[in-house]
Each structure stands twice: as C-alpha cells, then as structure tokens.
Amino acid sequence: MHLPDLDIAKKREKSENVYIDLKEDYHKVFQNKKYYIRTYGCQMNVHDSEAIKSYLEALGFVNTENIEEANLVVLNTCAIRENARDKVVGFLGKCKYLKKNRDDFKIVIAGCMSEQPDVIEDIMKNHKYVDLVIGTHNIHELPKLLMQEYQKQTIEVYSNSDEVIEGMNYKRDSKYTAWVNIMYGCDKFCTYCIVPYTRGRERSRKLESIVEEVKTLKENGYKEVTLLGQNVNAYGKDIGETFSHLLECVAKTNIERIRFVTSHPWNFTDEMIDIIAKYDNIMPYIHLPLQSGSNNILKRMNRRYTKEEYIALFNKMKEKIPNVAITTDIIVGFPNETKEDFEETLDVVRTCKFDGAYTFIFSKREGTPAARMEDKISLEEKEERLKELNTLVNKYSNESNQKLLNKVVEVLILGVSDKDKTKVYGYTDTMKLVNVTSDEDIIGKIVKVRITSAKSFSLDGEYVKEEVSA
Ligand code: 5AD
Ligand code: SF4
C-alpha cells in the first residue's frame, strides 16, 4: 500500500511518536472507509482541511461527497461570528440523525469552535453523539487520535498545543494555486475577535521551510502561492525574521504569482511596500482591514492605528505600488457605535474608494472584551447601517471594475465557471474574478484576457491568444 504522507511525517522530530503504533494496524481499521468533510470560514480553515484530507487518505480513507454513505464526517468549524457557529450546530443535527442506526459512523469536530471552552462544554452536555473534538493546533495528531477513537466510546477533546509543525502534507484542492501557512495565531487581541483565543499566540514557521515549500510547489507546476497567516506582516518577530525578507526570498524562487493575506495596518512597514513594488511576481493586491473609520471605535477595538494613519498608509501604497488594488474588512455596529462614528467610516470609504470590502455586523463572541461592553444600538439600526455601507462599497468596487472595460489583463485560469459551464474562471493580478470565454483549453495557464463587461463582483472577458506563460 502507498504510504507517502505517513513516511514523511514520521521523519519529523516532534511528531515522531504520533505514528509509531499506527504503522501495522491502521490500514486494517481504516482502509476503504469513506470520509465526508465540510469546511466553514476563512482561507486558513480551507487550508487546514487540505491537511486533514491528506492525513485521512494516508490512513486509507476515501473521500465522498455524499454524506449518507460516509463512515466519518469531519466538520472544520469557524467561530468568528455567531452565524458561522449557528450553521455548524444546524448541520450537527443532520449528522445526529444519520448516526442513529449506524454503529460505524463517527463525527469529528475540528477548527476554531473546538478551541472555545463554552462550545466544548455544550458538546459534552448536549451533543454526546460527537466522537472527537480536535483543535486547530492538533491536526497533525489526527491519525493517532482517530485510531484511539475507533477503539473506544467516550468523547475526546484535544486542543491547545503551541507547536509549530513543519513539513505538513496537504491534499491541495487546486493544481495551480496553493495556500502556504507562514505563521499561526495572533497576538493583536482586537477586542471583538475570538481568533487569539482559538488559534493561540503568533508562531512563525522557519523561513527556509517556507521557501522550500514554495520551490517544491513551483517544481510541481503551481503558478501561484498565497502566504497565509492571521497577520502575515507580523511574520518573524518570534524568530528574528521579517516579512519583507521572507517576501523577497519567496519572490526569488521565481514562482509566477505571490499573494499574502491578511495584513495588519500596524505592522505594515515601508520596506514591505518597497519589496512589493520591486518584484513583478508579488501581486499588486493588498487586503488591509480598516474595521472602522472612527478613532473612538478604533481605540475601543484596540486596533492600534487612527483613521489618519490608515489613510496615510493607504495613500503610500497607492503611490508606490503601480496599479495596486486594495480591499478591506469593515465591522458596523460595534458596541455603542454612534451615528457619527458610522458616518466617519463612510467618510473613509469615500476617501479610499476600496476595490472591494467584506462587511460585517458586530457579533458578540463569548470571552472577548467587547462582549462585556454596553451596547444600546438596536439590531435594526445595525442592519440599516450595513445596508448603507454596502451600497457605498459596491459603488466603488463597480467603479474600479468599470475601469478595466476593454482593457487586456493577465488572468490565471483556475477551472470551469460554477454558474456557466461554457466558461472558465480565474483571477487578475489584482485579484478580480473574471469569467472567460475561450475555444482553447487554457486551464492552469496565465493568459491575456480582454474585459468585455464589468459588474460589482466580477468581470467577463474573452481569451486573447497571446499566452503570457506556459
Ligand atoms: N463580529 C463581526 N465581525 C468580526 N470579524 C472578526 N470578529 C468579528 C466579530 N466579533 C471580522 C473582521 C475581520 C474579519 C475576518 O472578520 O472584520 O477582519
Ligand atoms: Fe482578530 Fe485582530 Fe488578530 Fe485580526 S488582528 S485575527 S481581527 S485579533
């Protein structure tokens, strides 16, 4: 039997004992069992699911898209807002029903929800049919834990180790674009945010292993990597490295496209801007969460910058990085956000004219400082504000897309469009989604595309037969 992932994993020092007892027995237990995985939340979770799939398939599990025939269901959960949690709880109900008459049906809860004490308590009390709860720090232990799990009956909870795991294997969803974790966790403690509690303190991976991973991806035909972290530009503080140095080393691998998410304005240095401007293979696209345009709210959010500082940084990026696109995240209805505070947010949006923005209503997360703040603003008022903000945000993203009309842009084509199977889709260097008509197979290539129509959230275009790269 083919065991590449386990063999490689066994060589890693820290996880050595994880696999020792598995070697002889695991395929007797797992071979040809089917797993179903559902992923909620951010890119970090999507990438964690790629690791989970890799481990499961190395154990002998086979993927299925049909939950009814699965022996193992993995829910990789998100905790960032209440509605993310509600979705998971809703889906758990379906799993409970499926498990009713089946001895051979296991349920694993992974991801950020598994790191929240109140969730764990709720599972132990109200969802006893769940078999295993595994935190964001423990994915590499999944094989050992599953093995134990298949041999006993109680719920086990594993979370909170602060190891940095190198050399993880991933069953990547795409053959052309890859996520690369560069750091884990977050130290910023924005007062509304659960992430520092669910993903722990900032831990950076070794620069050499990251660069090696990118080189291997390039050798295997990948065109694009996205460096991932909650605060990518805080990379290296714990190991005497810097994000600009890492970016430069990754750029020198000559992989065609490099992206990175998410950046914190407080950690963005001039040196980073210079490196982005210097290398053509670092994409001119920056996601720079604003969260609020009111200095009063920013302070209460513990964001560590003022609106003036944010705008100055934004302008510097626009000035120094040719053709850069900047998107953002904004929260409305933070506790006791006044009408004036909200107006200031709208003002910053009018000043920056973002290429796009993800907007959210504040969601109370148990255990965060903001959950204890007084809040007199009604949900109705918050919904009104969100609507007004979205109208403004869409106006600017539409305007920014209209500018591309009739222009020829470079697009990395990733696959067949979901909505229209006669088209393919991909992203411009500035991360704009384009649906493309082409009479040739251009999937996996970076090609030139003429933009024929522009909407707020996507562009349409046609392939221009002059290839940018093979
Ligand atoms: N409520 C609403 N939005 C939140 N975000 C993070 N925590 C919360 C919360 N409690 C948003 C922020 C962040 C994005 C990933 O999610 O805007 O940048
Ligand atoms: Fe959450 Fe703030 Fe860290 Fe982003 S920087 S993950 S919003 S605590």
Side-chain angles (χ1 to χ4, degrees):
M1 200 192 147
H2 173 66
L3 303 174
D5 296 334
L6 290 181
D7 282 347
I8 291 167
K10 257 195 331 182
K11 289 182 196 138
R12 291 201 312 265
E13 209 183 308
K14 278 187 176 169
S15 313
E16 208 158 29
N17 52 2
V18 169
Y19 298 97
I20 287 173
D21 302 328
L22 284 173
K23 219 173 141 207
E24 278 157 27
D25 293 335
Y26 76 95
H27 59 268
K28 275 192 266 167
V29 180
F30 300 117
Q31 198 161 26
N32 294 330
K33 283 196 192 305
K34 293 187 174 155
Y35 77 93
Y36 172 95
I37 185 164
R38 186 172 272 220
T39 309
Y40 300 85
C42 65
Q43 296 98 335
M44 199 78 75
N45 264 16
V46 173
H47 191 40
D48 284 351
S49 284
E50 291 181 330
I52 293 172
K53 288 179 206 169
S54 164
Y55 281 119
L56 292 178
E57 293 186 19
L59 289 172
F61 279 94
V62 181
N63 180 246
T64 176
E65 301 286 318
N66 176 5
I67 189 171
E68 315 252 337
E69 63 173 28
N71 307 99
L72 175 73
V73 173
V74 182
L75 304 185
N76 193 8
T77 63
C78 169
I80 199 116
R81 284 172 292 274
E82 192 61 27
N83 58 356
R85 182 159 154 181
D86 291 346
K87 277 189 214 159
V88 174
V89 174
F91 193 68
L92 260 181
K94 177 169 181 167
C95 297
K96 180 184 180 186
Y97 171 78
L98 286 170
K99 190 169 174 156
K100 236 175 193 168
N101 301 314
R102 302 250 319 263
D103 293 338
D104 185 27
F105 187 92
K106 301 273 181 191
I107 301 169
V108 176
I109 299 188
C112 283
M113 270 176 60
S114 317
E115 297 283 356
Q116 291 179 282
D118 58 319
V119 172
I120 294 173
E121 203 184 312
D122 179 44
I123 291 170
M124 304 292 268
K125 226 158 80 200
N126 304 317
H127 303 277
K128 293 205 168 99
Y129 50 90
V130 169
D131 298 285
L132 177 66
V133 178
I134 178 168
T136 54
H137 310 265
N138 304 78
I139 290 171
H140 59 292
E141 294 183 89
L142 188 63
K144 176 188 76 175
L145 303 180
L146 268 182
M147 187 65 172
Q148 290 170 3
E149 188 45 54
Y150 272 77
Q151 290 162 347
K152 52 119 210 70
Q153 300 301 321
T154 52
I155 305 179
E156 294 292 326
V157 177
Y158 295 88
S159 66
N160 273 333
S161 92
D162 269 350
E163 280 180 75
V164 177
I165 307 298
E166 299 287 2
M168 288 265 276
N169 282 287
Y170 298 96
K171 182 168 184 283
R172 297 184 190 268
D173 294 336
S174 166
K175 285 191 284 186
Y176 317 112
T177 178
W179 306 110
V180 175
N181 268 329
I182 64 166
M183 61 185 300
Y184 304 93
C186 180
D187 284 353
K188 289 290 182 296
F189 288 95
C190 301
T191 55
Y192 52 82
C193 186
I194 196 79
V195 168
Y197 308 92
T198 60
R199 295 219 169 233
R201 299 288 69 71
E202 282 173 7
R203 286 107 58 212
S204 302
R205 280 185 59 199
K206 283 196 211 103
L207 186 137
E208 303 77 46
S209 347
I210 299 168
V211 173
E212 261 327 292
E213 188 174 335
V214 175
K215 280 186 183 158
T216 308
L217 286 165
K218 182 173 187 287
E219 278 160 21
N220 291 332
Y222 280 85
K223 296 280 158 69
E224 180 180 278
V225 291
T226 302
L227 308 180
L228 264 190
Q230 301 296 344
N231 265 310
V232 272
N233 53 343
Y235 171 81
K237 279 194 307 187
D238 51 331
I239 55 169
E241 265 301 342
T242 64
F243 183 56
S244 7
H245 183 219
L246 173 70
L247 259 187
E248 185 152 37
C249 293
V250 174
K252 284 180 176 163
T253 64
N254 287 329
I255 186 130
E256 267 134 310
R257 286 180 155 203
I258 299 156
R259 303 185 184 281
F260 50 89
V261 278
T262 291
S263 303
H264 193 297
W266 193 73
N267 288 106
F268 227 106
T269 62
D270 287 357
E271 204 185 351
M272 289 172 200
I273 298 179
D274 292 341
I275 297 282
I276 297 165
K278 181 171 167 192
Y279 289 92
D280 284 346
N281 58 347
I282 305 180
M283 295 296 97
Y285 167 73
I286 298 169
H287 184 64
L288 194 71
L290 166 69
Q291 311 299 5
S292 169
S294 148
N295 284 340
N296 168 35
I297 299 287
L298 285 171
K299 192 154 198 221
R300 289 174 50 228
M301 285 178 162
N302 190 30
R303 286 294 289 178
R304 309 166 187 222
Y305 53 83
T306 61
K307 88 168 177 197
E308 290 79 12
E309 285 163 344
Y310 182 95
I311 293 171
L313 174 64
F314 179 97
N315 287 337
K316 206 187 290 176
M317 288 171 172
K318 284 275 173 185
E319 183 194 315
K320 290 200 164 173
I321 307 168
N323 196 29
V324 71
I326 301 176
T327 57
T328 199
D329 289 344
I330 299 170
I331 298 176
V332 299
F334 187 77
N336 279 353
E337 177 194 61
T338 63
K339 195 82 189 128
E340 291 71 35
D341 290 322
F342 175 62
E343 283 300 328
E344 289 197 67
T345 298
L346 295 180
D347 257 355
V348 177
V349 173
R350 284 189 204 100
T351 305
C352 294
K353 303 180 175 60
F354 294 105
D355 289 84
Y358 299 93
T359 57
F360 313 100
I361 290 182
F362 168 75
S363 173
K364 209 178 192 181
R365 308 319 294 135
E366 218 46 67
T368 63
R372 297 189 295 274
M373 292 179 191
E374 184 196 36
D375 189 8
K376 289 191 184 141
I377 318 292
S378 69
L379 182 60
E380 213 181 3
E381 171 69 28
K382 294 183 184 195
E383 282 168 349
E384 277 304 310
R385 289 181 193 176
L386 183 70
K387 228 161 103 188
E388 193 177 345
L389 175 64
N390 283 344
T391 308
L392 194 65
V393 157
N394 293 346
K395 175 178 134 166
Y396 291 119
S397 49
N398 197 325
E399 276 180 23
S400 123
N401 282 352
Q402 294 299 336
K403 285 187 197 147
L404 292 178
L405 211 55
N406 299 320
K407 296 243 162 68
V408 173
V409 293
E410 290 182 5
V411 179
L412 169 56
I413 306 291
L414 295 178
V416 175
S417 297
D418 257 355
K419 282 194 188 130
D420 181 350
K421 303 282 180 216
T422 64
K423 292 186 176 179
V424 289
Y425 78 96
Y427 290 89
T428 63
D429 56 352
T430 51
M431 199 60 192
K432 292 181 192 291
L433 171 64
V434 195
N435 290 301
V436 182
T437 40
S438 163
D439 48 15
E440 276 176 40
D441 181 8
I442 50 173
I443 293 175
K445 293 179 176 169
I446 298 172
V447 294
K448 292 206 167 170
V449 171
R450 184 181 314 282
I451 301 302
T452 52
S453 96
K455 293 164 266 180
S456 284
F457 304 110
S458 68
L459 304 158
D460 289 319
E462 53 197 23
Y463 168 48
V464 181
K465 286 184 204 263
E466 184 203 330
E467 208 174 280
V468 179
S469 81

